[in-house]
Amino acid sequence: MLASPIVGEFMGTAMLVLFGTGVVANVCLSESKGNSSGWGVIATGWALAVLIGVFTALLFGSPDANINPAVTLAFAIATGDVSKLVPYVLAQFAGAFVGALLMYLTYLVQWSKTADPGLKLACFATGPAVRYPLANLLTEAIATMTLVLGVAAIFSKTVSATGPAAGLGPFLVAGVVWGIGLSLGGPTGFAVNPARDLASRIAHTILPLGAKKGPSDWGYAWIPVVGPCLGAAVAALLLRAIG
Protein backbone atom coordinates (compact mmCIF):
# COMPACT_ATOMS: atom_id res chain seq x y z
CA MET A 1 0.00 0.00 0.00
CA LEU A 2 1.10 3.55 -0.68
CA ALA A 3 -0.06 4.83 2.69
CA SER A 4 2.52 4.84 5.50
CA PRO A 5 3.75 7.26 8.17
CA ILE A 6 6.72 8.26 5.99
CA VAL A 7 4.56 8.84 2.91
CA GLY A 8 2.10 10.77 5.06
CA GLU A 9 4.82 13.09 6.34
CA PHE A 10 6.14 13.58 2.80
CA MET A 11 2.76 14.32 1.25
CA GLY A 12 1.55 16.47 4.13
CA THR A 13 4.67 18.61 4.11
CA ALA A 14 4.51 18.95 0.33
CA MET A 15 0.96 20.28 0.57
CA LEU A 16 1.91 22.56 3.46
CA VAL A 17 4.72 24.17 1.49
CA LEU A 18 2.78 24.32 -1.78
CA PHE A 19 -0.08 26.23 -0.16
CA GLY A 20 2.11 28.26 2.20
CA THR A 21 4.69 29.46 -0.29
CA GLY A 22 1.88 29.76 -2.80
CA VAL A 23 0.09 32.42 -0.80
CA VAL A 24 3.34 34.38 -0.47
CA ALA A 25 3.84 34.15 -4.23
CA ASN A 26 0.27 35.31 -4.81
CA VAL A 27 0.87 38.39 -2.67
CA CYS A 28 4.43 39.20 -3.77
CA LEU A 29 4.74 38.41 -7.47
CA SER A 30 3.88 40.96 -10.12
CA GLU A 31 0.86 40.28 -12.34
CA SER A 32 -0.61 37.89 -9.81
CA LYS A 33 -4.24 38.53 -8.90
CA GLY A 34 -3.41 38.66 -5.19
CA ASN A 35 -0.52 41.11 -5.58
CA SER A 36 -0.06 43.47 -2.60
CA SER A 37 -2.99 41.99 -0.67
CA GLY A 38 -1.00 42.09 2.55
CA TRP A 39 0.25 40.30 5.61
CA GLY A 40 -3.18 39.19 6.78
CA VAL A 41 -3.62 37.18 3.60
CA ILE A 42 -0.20 35.56 4.06
CA ALA A 43 -0.87 34.62 7.70
CA THR A 44 -4.29 33.22 6.78
CA GLY A 45 -2.87 31.32 3.84
CA TRP A 46 -0.22 29.68 5.99
CA ALA A 47 -2.82 28.67 8.56
CA LEU A 48 -4.89 27.02 5.85
CA ALA A 49 -1.71 25.43 4.48
CA VAL A 50 -1.18 23.75 7.84
CA LEU A 51 -4.81 22.60 7.82
CA ILE A 52 -4.59 20.92 4.42
CA GLY A 53 -1.11 19.63 5.21
CA VAL A 54 -2.23 17.90 8.40
CA PHE A 55 -5.29 16.34 6.77
CA THR A 56 -3.17 15.15 3.83
CA ALA A 57 -0.60 13.60 6.16
CA LEU A 58 -3.37 11.74 7.97
CA LEU A 59 -4.88 10.59 4.68
CA PHE A 60 -1.58 9.16 3.47
CA GLY A 61 -0.87 7.27 6.65
CA SER A 62 0.89 9.43 9.24
CA PRO A 63 -1.04 9.31 12.52
CA ASP A 64 1.26 12.00 13.93
CA ALA A 65 0.97 14.47 11.02
CA ASN A 66 3.93 16.48 12.31
CA ILE A 67 4.84 17.94 8.89
CA ASN A 68 7.56 19.94 10.67
CA PRO A 69 10.99 18.74 11.86
CA ALA A 70 10.80 21.03 14.90
CA VAL A 71 7.53 19.40 16.00
CA THR A 72 9.01 15.94 15.44
CA LEU A 73 12.07 16.94 17.49
CA ALA A 74 9.91 18.32 20.29
CA PHE A 75 7.86 15.18 20.70
CA ALA A 76 10.96 12.98 20.45
CA ILE A 77 12.45 14.90 23.38
CA ALA A 78 9.18 15.03 25.32
CA THR A 79 8.50 11.28 25.01
CA GLY A 80 12.06 9.98 24.86
CA ASP A 81 11.18 8.04 21.69
CA VAL A 82 13.58 9.09 18.92
CA SER A 83 12.71 6.25 16.50
CA LYS A 84 10.68 8.50 14.21
CA LEU A 85 13.04 11.48 14.24
CA VAL A 86 15.33 10.70 11.29
CA PRO A 87 12.79 9.09 8.91
CA TYR A 88 10.17 11.75 9.57
CA VAL A 89 12.62 14.63 9.15
CA LEU A 90 13.99 13.23 5.88
CA ALA A 91 10.45 12.79 4.54
CA GLN A 92 9.53 16.32 5.61
CA PHE A 93 12.53 17.89 3.90
CA ALA A 94 11.86 15.95 0.69
CA GLY A 95 8.19 16.91 0.79
CA ALA A 96 9.00 20.57 1.39
CA PHE A 97 11.26 20.64 -1.67
CA VAL A 98 8.55 19.09 -3.84
CA GLY A 99 6.00 21.57 -2.50
CA ALA A 100 8.28 24.48 -3.38
CA LEU A 101 8.80 23.05 -6.86
CA LEU A 102 5.04 22.77 -7.40
CA MET A 103 4.60 26.38 -6.26
CA TYR A 104 7.28 27.43 -8.74
CA LEU A 105 5.45 25.68 -11.56
CA THR A 106 2.11 27.18 -10.51
CA TYR A 107 3.50 30.71 -10.87
CA LEU A 108 5.74 29.89 -13.82
CA VAL A 109 4.78 32.94 -15.88
CA GLN A 110 5.01 35.43 -13.00
CA TRP A 111 8.73 34.98 -12.23
CA SER A 112 9.93 36.79 -15.33
CA LYS A 113 7.36 39.55 -14.77
CA THR A 114 8.70 40.35 -11.28
CA ALA A 115 11.68 42.70 -11.20
CA ASP A 116 12.48 42.65 -7.47
CA PRO A 117 14.71 39.67 -6.60
CA GLY A 118 13.88 40.06 -2.91
CA LEU A 119 10.22 39.40 -3.62
CA LYS A 120 11.14 36.27 -5.53
CA LEU A 121 13.20 35.00 -2.62
CA ALA A 122 10.37 35.80 -0.19
CA CYS A 123 8.16 33.32 -2.04
CA PHE A 124 10.55 30.52 -1.08
CA ALA A 125 12.21 31.48 2.19
CA THR A 126 11.83 33.77 5.17
CA GLY A 127 13.93 36.82 5.96
CA PRO A 128 14.08 39.38 8.75
CA ALA A 129 12.35 42.75 8.72
CA VAL A 130 15.39 44.04 10.64
CA ARG A 131 18.54 41.93 10.36
CA TYR A 132 19.78 41.30 13.88
CA PRO A 133 20.76 37.62 14.19
CA LEU A 134 20.33 37.18 17.94
CA ALA A 135 16.92 38.87 17.96
CA ASN A 136 15.86 36.99 14.82
CA LEU A 137 16.92 33.70 16.40
CA LEU A 138 15.00 34.53 19.57
CA THR A 139 11.86 35.38 17.58
CA GLU A 140 11.93 32.06 15.74
CA ALA A 141 12.54 30.17 18.98
CA ILE A 142 9.65 31.88 20.78
CA ALA A 143 7.25 31.41 17.86
CA THR A 144 8.08 27.71 17.57
CA MET A 145 7.83 27.18 21.32
CA THR A 146 4.31 28.60 21.23
CA LEU A 147 3.46 26.33 18.29
CA VAL A 148 4.59 23.18 20.08
CA LEU A 149 2.90 24.15 23.35
CA GLY A 150 -0.28 25.05 21.49
CA VAL A 151 -0.37 21.72 19.66
CA ALA A 152 0.37 19.83 22.87
CA ALA A 153 -2.40 21.67 24.70
CA ILE A 154 -4.96 20.93 21.98
CA PHE A 155 -4.37 17.18 22.24
CA SER A 156 -3.67 17.06 25.99
CA LYS A 157 -5.76 14.77 28.18
CA THR A 158 -5.55 17.52 30.81
CA VAL A 159 -7.43 19.89 28.52
CA SER A 160 -9.86 17.21 27.35
CA ALA A 161 -9.92 13.66 28.68
CA THR A 162 -11.00 12.28 25.31
CA GLY A 163 -9.15 14.77 23.13
CA PRO A 164 -10.77 17.02 20.50
CA ALA A 165 -13.64 15.66 18.44
CA ALA A 166 -12.69 13.73 15.33
CA GLY A 167 -11.48 16.10 12.61
CA LEU A 168 -11.44 19.14 14.89
CA GLY A 169 -7.78 18.97 15.91
CA PRO A 170 -6.30 20.14 12.57
CA PHE A 171 -8.58 23.19 12.58
CA LEU A 172 -7.42 24.11 16.08
CA VAL A 173 -3.77 23.67 15.10
CA ALA A 174 -4.36 25.88 12.06
CA GLY A 175 -5.79 28.48 14.43
CA VAL A 176 -2.59 28.40 16.47
CA VAL A 177 -0.53 28.96 13.32
CA TRP A 178 -2.83 31.79 12.26
CA GLY A 179 -2.34 33.44 15.64
CA ILE A 180 1.43 33.03 15.44
CA GLY A 181 1.49 34.61 12.00
CA LEU A 182 -0.62 37.58 13.03
CA SER A 183 1.01 38.16 16.42
CA LEU A 184 4.61 36.95 16.16
CA GLY A 185 5.32 36.82 12.44
CA GLY A 186 6.36 40.41 11.86
CA PRO A 187 10.07 40.27 12.77
CA THR A 188 11.10 37.22 10.73
CA GLY A 189 8.14 35.96 8.72
CA PHE A 190 7.58 33.04 11.15
CA ALA A 191 9.37 30.11 9.53
CA VAL A 192 8.79 27.90 12.64
CA ASN A 193 9.63 24.94 10.40
CA PRO A 194 13.20 24.11 9.31
CA ALA A 195 12.07 22.03 6.32
CA ARG A 196 9.69 24.71 5.08
CA ASP A 197 12.52 27.23 4.94
CA LEU A 198 15.68 25.28 4.09
CA ALA A 199 14.24 22.98 1.43
CA SER A 200 12.46 25.90 -0.23
CA ARG A 201 15.64 27.99 -0.11
CA ILE A 202 17.48 25.17 -1.89
CA ALA A 203 14.73 25.21 -4.53
CA HIS A 204 15.23 28.97 -4.94
CA THR A 205 18.95 28.41 -5.44
CA ILE A 206 18.62 25.90 -8.26
CA LEU A 207 15.49 27.04 -10.11
CA PRO A 208 15.49 29.60 -12.95
CA LEU A 209 13.52 32.68 -11.88
CA GLY A 210 14.02 35.10 -14.73
CA ALA A 211 16.76 37.61 -15.41
CA LYS A 212 16.74 39.20 -11.95
CA LYS A 213 16.95 36.31 -9.54
CA GLY A 214 19.28 37.45 -6.78
CA PRO A 215 21.04 35.42 -4.06
CA SER A 216 19.33 32.98 -1.70
CA ASP A 217 20.63 34.73 1.45
CA TRP A 218 22.45 31.69 2.81
CA GLY A 219 24.01 33.85 5.53
CA TYR A 220 20.59 34.02 7.20
CA ALA A 221 19.53 30.44 6.42
CA TRP A 222 20.74 28.94 9.71
CA ILE A 223 18.36 31.07 11.80
CA PRO A 224 15.05 29.53 10.60
CA VAL A 225 16.62 26.11 11.18
CA VAL A 226 18.33 26.57 14.54
CA GLY A 227 15.71 28.92 16.03
CA PRO A 228 12.76 26.55 15.59
CA CYS A 229 14.80 23.62 16.92
CA LEU A 230 15.76 25.60 20.03
CA GLY A 231 12.17 26.67 20.62
CA ALA A 232 10.93 23.13 20.11
CA ALA A 233 13.47 21.79 22.59
CA VAL A 234 12.45 24.31 25.25
CA ALA A 235 8.78 23.44 24.74
CA ALA A 236 9.60 19.74 24.99
CA LEU A 237 11.42 20.23 28.29
CA LEU A 238 8.44 22.14 29.63
CA LEU A 239 6.13 19.33 28.58
CA ARG A 240 8.36 16.78 30.31
CA ALA A 241 8.33 18.92 33.45
CA ILE A 242 4.54 18.85 33.68
CA GLY A 243 4.22 15.26 32.47
Side-chain angles (χ1 to χ4, degrees):
M1 293 178 63
L2 177 62
S4 75
I6 303 305
V7 173
E9 291 295 324
F10 172 86
M11 292 297 297
T13 310
M15 292 292 280
L16 164 74
V17 173
L18 170 60
F19 276 70
T21 59
V23 72
V24 181
N26 191 25
V27 171
C28 290
L29 294 180
S30 301
E31 299 191 28
S32 171
K33 290 184 179 294
N35 181 255
S36 300
S37 51
W39 184 253
V41 170
I42 290 175
T44 303
W46 269 108
L48 296 174
V50 169
L51 178 65
I52 189 63
V54 169
F55 274 124
T56 301
L58 293 170
L59 172 66
F60 279 88
S62 175
D64 302 298
N66 290 168
I67 63 174
N68 182 339
V71 173
T72 301
L73 174 64
F75 288 107
I77 295 173
T79 63
D81 180 4
V82 299
S83 62
K84 298 176 181 177
L85 183 59
V86 172
Y88 272 22
V89 168
L90 291 176
Q92 290 156 0
F93 271 94
F97 181 84
V98 170
L101 177 60
L102 292 173
M103 180 277 292
Y104 164 77
L105 294 173
T106 302
Y107 286 91
L108 190 61
V109 176
Q110 275 71 34
W111 301 112
S112 61
K113 304 292 184 181
T114 303
D116 187 342
L119 293 178
K120 294 179 182 181
L121 175 59
C123 299
F124 291 89
T126 60
V130 177
R131 189 174 296 264
Y132 195 97
L134 182 58
N136 304 148
L137 186 72
L138 184 61
T139 295
E140 285 293 330
I142 291 171
T144 309
M145 181 184 70
T146 63
L147 171 63
V148 173
L149 292 178
V151 171
I154 288 167
F155 294 99
S156 171
K157 294 293 192 293
T158 304
V159 174
S160 174
T162 58
L168 178 60
F171 284 92
L172 298 177
V173 172
V176 173
V177 174
W178 193 20
I180 291 171
L182 293 175
S183 300
L184 307 178
T188 60
F190 76 115
V192 300
N193 184 330
R196 165 267 179 275
D197 196 274
L198 182 57
S200 298
R201 198 180 298 267
I202 293 171
H204 175 272
T205 299
I206 66 178
L207 290 171
L209 299 174
K212 295 182 179 179
K213 177 177 177 177
S216 301
D217 195 11
W218 284 105
Y220 180 80
W222 66 277
I223 290 176
V225 173
V226 175
C229 290
L230 289 175
V234 171
L237 294 175
L238 289 172
L239 293 173
R240 290 193 69 149
I242 64 173

